[in-house]
Amino acid sequence: QVQVVESGGGLVQPGGSLRLSCVASGSIFSINDMGWYRQAPGKQRELVATIRSGGSTNYADSVKGRFTISRDNARNTVYLQMNSLKPEDTAVYYCSADATRGGLAVPLRYWGQGTQVTVSS
């Protein structure tokens, strides 16, 4: 099995910052892409940012210039630094890890349980 666990969510005022962390663990041989997605109340899940194993990144237009995704390959960890937070950033944030484990030929996408981020005065 592969487990993906997010942490770092909470309540923050507009303009504030939060840093989310996500750790993948278990019988992992390698991890390819990792990413962050979010789902706000009454809305569909949307991509926030992705990062490849080599470090290249992709961001949603709504977070460009404010959020930074990074990873520590040695620790199977991905981070999301969120600055200049806005109320519209309020959502449950989910982490994904495209991981290959022993006994399987191709990587599969694994999801974390989500962490709540609330931006409010």
Side-chain angles (χ1 to χ4, degrees), residues 25-102:
S25 62
S27 300
I28 299 173
F29 179 78
S30 64
I31 299 178
N32 298 324
D33 295 357
M34 302 185 79
W36 290 96
Y37 298 76
R38 67 187 183 186
Q39 186 169 15
K43 296 184 178 180
Q44 294 183 344
R45 184 194 68 180
E46 65 175 350
L47 183 147
V48 177
T50 60
I51 184 168
R52 295 183 176 180
S53 60
S56 61
T57 58
N58 184 47
Y59 296 92
D61 289 341
S62 60
V63 306
K64 286 181 179 178
R66 300 188 297 119
F67 291 10
T68 301
I69 187 171
S70 60
R71 64 189 289 170
D72 184 339
N73 290 335
R75 295 171 174 80
N76 292 336
T77 301
V78 63
Y79 306 95
L80 185 67
Q81 179 65 47
M82 304 185 293
N83 298 325
S84 302
L85 283 162
K86 305 175 180 179
E88 50 262 46
D89 294 318
T90 296
V92 177
Y93 284 70
Y94 297 92
C95 174
S96 70
D98 297 344
T100 300
R101 65 179 182 91

Side-chain angles (χ1 to χ4, degrees), residues 8-21:
L11 175 64
V12 64
Q13 294 184 349
S17 298
L18 283 174
R19 190 192 193 204
L20 305 183
S21 299

